[in-house]
Amino acid sequence: MLETHKLAEIESRSEAFISAEASKPFGWDSALFVEWATVAEMLQAVALPRGARIADLGCGSGWTTLFLVEAGFDAVGLDLVPANIELARERGARWGSSARFEVADLEALEPPAEPFDGVLLFEALHHCERQDAVLAGAARQLRPGGWLLLGELTWLHRISPRARRARRELGWLERGIALRGLRRDLRAAGFAEQRRFFGPTRPYEGRIGAFAWQLARLLAANVAVAPQAHLWLAARRG
């Protein structure tokens, strides 16, 4: 029996949602392209070669999986919500992409028939109640020495207006991720090496006020946390 928040996430993705999203050329906010730049930098930094097999956990509507394939990787996207997988497959067909998509619960992942070289976990962990189970499942997907690339919303997310609205109107689980607990659970899951990365800001307009805000965000994220900034970690399975 699925937990209440998981059922709410599945049921909130209606046919109207699929139709509206599928009609968009991309359907993604401009900030996601900035975030993809961070993922691409991490892929290069950990030296995952073209053709490497990558599991994209919590892929949502599939943009990260599709971008992975366009970057030369062999990628499969996994998500709890069947409507998300349907939309991702439709987008993949429109792109003529070799990306594959399957329904899966991130808190109950079994080892694959063939281990992956890499795992991407982007903005999915904060929807999961059992963080340790998700990270342990991610480790089971990987070959020894394989890399987990993780981009997550910080603990500030749990008090953000967007998170409160999603909890109230949709019934979703909206946690925030604390760096210390994340590092602890990664070690417990068998990730021997952890590397911290920092993403750029989103595009902005305005040479004074907007620039000052973006600069403050960059400095705050480097020292502690900042609104709209992510925790970016690469962790190698021992």
Side-chain angles (χ1 to χ4, degrees):
M1 183 69 178
L2 289 176
E3 292 92 332
T4 301
H5 66 86
K6 292 181 181 179
L7 291 172
E9 190 170 351
I10 291 171
E11 292 168 358
S12 67
R13 298 310 204 196
S14 63
E15 289 186 11
F17 163 81
I18 291 291
S19 178
E21 291 295 303
S23 68
K24 298 176 182 178
F26 290 100
W28 306 308
D29 185 270
S30 61
L32 296 185
F33 293 91
V34 177
E35 286 151 6
W36 170 254
T38 309
V39 174
E41 181 68 21
M42 294 168 72
L43 289 166
Q44 183 175 352
V46 302
L48 278 174
R50 288 177 62 87
R53 299 178 64 253
I54 298 181
D56 185 7
L57 306 185
C59 66
S61 60
W63 76 273
T64 41
T65 317
L66 293 170
F67 276 32
L68 285 167
V69 170
E70 288 298 302
F73 298 99
D74 178 13
V76 56
L78 305 177
D79 197 89
L80 173 71
V81 182
N84 283 343
I85 295 300
E86 179 183 342
L87 176 56
R89 287 172 176 167
E90 183 174 334
R91 283 180 167 152
R94 284 162 52 190
W95 284 32
S97 176
S98 63
R100 289 102 59 210
F101 298 95
E102 302 294 339
V103 175
D105 185 342
L106 301 193
E107 294 181 350
L109 291 176
E110 296 295 330
E114 180 182 355
F116 290 92
D117 303 300
V119 164
L120 176 63
L121 186 58
F122 175 73
E123 282 201 5
L125 191 58
H126 71 280
H127 291 305
C128 300
E129 187 171 21
R130 292 175 291 161
Q131 176 171 291
D132 55 346
V134 175
L135 297 177
R140 288 194 295 270
Q141 305 306 299
L142 286 166
R143 61 169 174 78
W147 285 92
L148 166 66
L149 307 184
L150 189 146
E152 263 304 334
L153 301 170
T154 72
W155 61 264
L156 288 174
H157 176 68
R158 73 172 72 108
I159 59 175
S160 72
R162 182 172 60 137
R164 292 199 300 268
R165 185 168 56 253
R167 286 193 293 264
R168 181 178 64 253
E169 297 178 2
L170 301 175
W172 292 8
L173 177 64
E174 295 285 348
R175 301 191 307 118
I177 306 300
L179 179 60
R180 181 178 297 180
L182 180 59
R183 288 190 181 278
R184 178 200 63 221
D185 288 343
L186 284 167
R187 288 192 298 269
F191 290 97
E193 178 184 351
Q194 299 179 30
R195 298 169 61 178
R196 180 92 184 267
F197 292 81
F198 298 89
T201 69
R202 64 180 299 158
Y204 62 90
E205 179 182 8
R207 297 180 59 192
I208 300 176
F211 171 75
W213 167 240
Q214 297 298 334
L215 180 60
R217 281 186 57 235
L218 281 174
L219 292 172
N222 186 273
V223 174
V225 294
Q228 302 171 0
H230 286 70
L231 290 175
W232 294 101
L233 287 176
R236 182 178 59 82
R237 183 189 168 191

